[in-house]
Amino acid sequence: MAKQGKRMAAARGSYERETLHSVKDAVAAVKSNAKAKFDETIEIAINLGVDPRHADQMVRGVCNLPQGTGRTQRVAVFAKDAKADEARAAGADIVGADDLVEMIQNGDMPFDKVIATPDMMPLVGRVARVLGPKGMMPNPKVGTVTMDVTKAVEDAKGGAVQFRVEKTGIIHAGVGKASFSEAALEENVTAFLRAIRQARPSGAKGVFMKRVTLTSTMGPGVKLDPSFEATA
């Protein structure tokens, strides 16, 4: 614990903690301080000026990270007949209907994301109480309820990251790995920030993006300039 404390203190001393950094400088600082013995995830936290309790201030959507997430996503698809074949051809790990419901009800969930065709949603509803709390419930707003099964599976397998603001007005997401190049991380972070800006709800008033922090799994946070797009 003491060793970790010294490492964290040294990391924090390597940059100005209260300075608002550009995406480029923040990525460089976070990457240089990601020194764990495993490939740390680079994470972003955004404090928004919204109250998610109001429907017109909810922020949710999906961002396709241009450089991917660095993590293999296991995808389950609720589909039948030709759409089931399409899902398998696209690389889905599990494809099913009633049998997939039974798996989930038995606690057997070897997947990270769930996609469904619209006609399968009544069936999916039977396991909504299981999928919902895990953030896996298919939703048309983020492209996981769709007839375009191929695109949905390919996006999920690629760099698609779903986001949804928490009750406290914060959005968290992983935007890559410490092993990524600085250029790749810059591209992902910028894409994610722009996706959040584009998802600004009609009810948001005043400053929308209040505070942005970038960090690695074991490293200290580095503050980004929320107005980055003014010069991007």
Side-chain angles (χ1 to χ4, degrees):
M1 185 65 71
K3 183 177 181 181
Q4 182 177 344
K6 289 181 180 179
R7 183 175 65 80
M8 184 69 78
R12 285 174 173 158
S14 66
Y15 62 92
E16 293 294 331
R17 293 185 61 191
E18 298 306 316
T19 298
L20 298 180
H21 297 76
S22 65
V23 173
K24 181 180 179 66
D25 290 345
V27 164
V30 170
K31 185 173 166 64
S32 67
N33 285 314
K35 298 177 180 178
K37 294 182 179 179
F38 61 93
D39 193 8
E40 297 180 55
T41 297
I42 304 303
E43 302 169 348
I44 193 167
I46 306 173
N47 293 69
L48 300 176
V50 298
D51 184 349
R53 292 176 298 179
H54 301 287
D56 65 349
Q57 295 188 47
M58 172 53 66
V59 180
R60 71 181 304 171
V62 63
C63 174
N64 286 306
L65 298 177
Q67 297 298 327
T69 63
R71 179 171 178 245
T72 300
Q73 296 288 336
R74 300 167 299 171
V75 180
V77 179
F78 281 92
K80 59 184 179 181
D81 303 327
K83 287 297 174 181
D85 294 336
E86 185 181 327
R88 294 186 185 95
D93 298 274
I94 300 172
V95 181
D98 289 282
D99 54 335
L100 184 49
V101 168
E102 187 176 347
M103 282 180 60
I104 295 170
Q105 289 174 332
N106 291 333
D108 185 11
M109 299 174 61
F111 47 79
D112 306 295
K113 292 189 177 181
V114 180
I115 294 164
T117 53
D119 59 302
M120 300 296 284
M121 286 309 292
L123 187 64
V124 179
R126 287 162 49 186
V127 288
R129 290 186 178 181
V130 180
L131 297 177
K134 295 180 179 295
M136 293 185 187
M137 188 65 184
N139 189 302
K141 293 183 179 179
V142 294
T144 49
V145 177
T146 177
M147 289 300 288
D148 193 348
V149 174
T150 297
K151 182 179 187 303
V153 172
E154 290 177 348
D155 285 349
K157 286 283 190 178
V161 174
Q162 294 181 28
F163 57 83
R164 177 171 179 160
V165 65
E166 300 172 1
K167 293 179 181 179
T168 53
I170 300 175
I171 282 180
H172 294 277
V175 290
K177 292 288 186 177
S179 58
F180 282 21
S181 68
E182 289 185 16
L185 287 171
E186 286 175 43
E187 195 172 353
N188 277 0
V189 171
T190 300
F192 190 80
L193 289 171
R194 285 178 173 157
I196 300 301
R197 283 201 184 282
Q198 290 168 3
R200 177 172 181 150
S202 59
K205 307 298 181 184
V207 177
F208 177 54
M209 202 175 289
K210 289 186 171 182
R211 186 164 64 251
V212 182
T213 305
L214 195 68
T215 185
S216 62
T217 305
M218 303 296 291
V222 177
K223 295 181 180 180
L224 276 74
D225 183 357
S227 64
F228 81 103
E229 286 206 320
T231 56

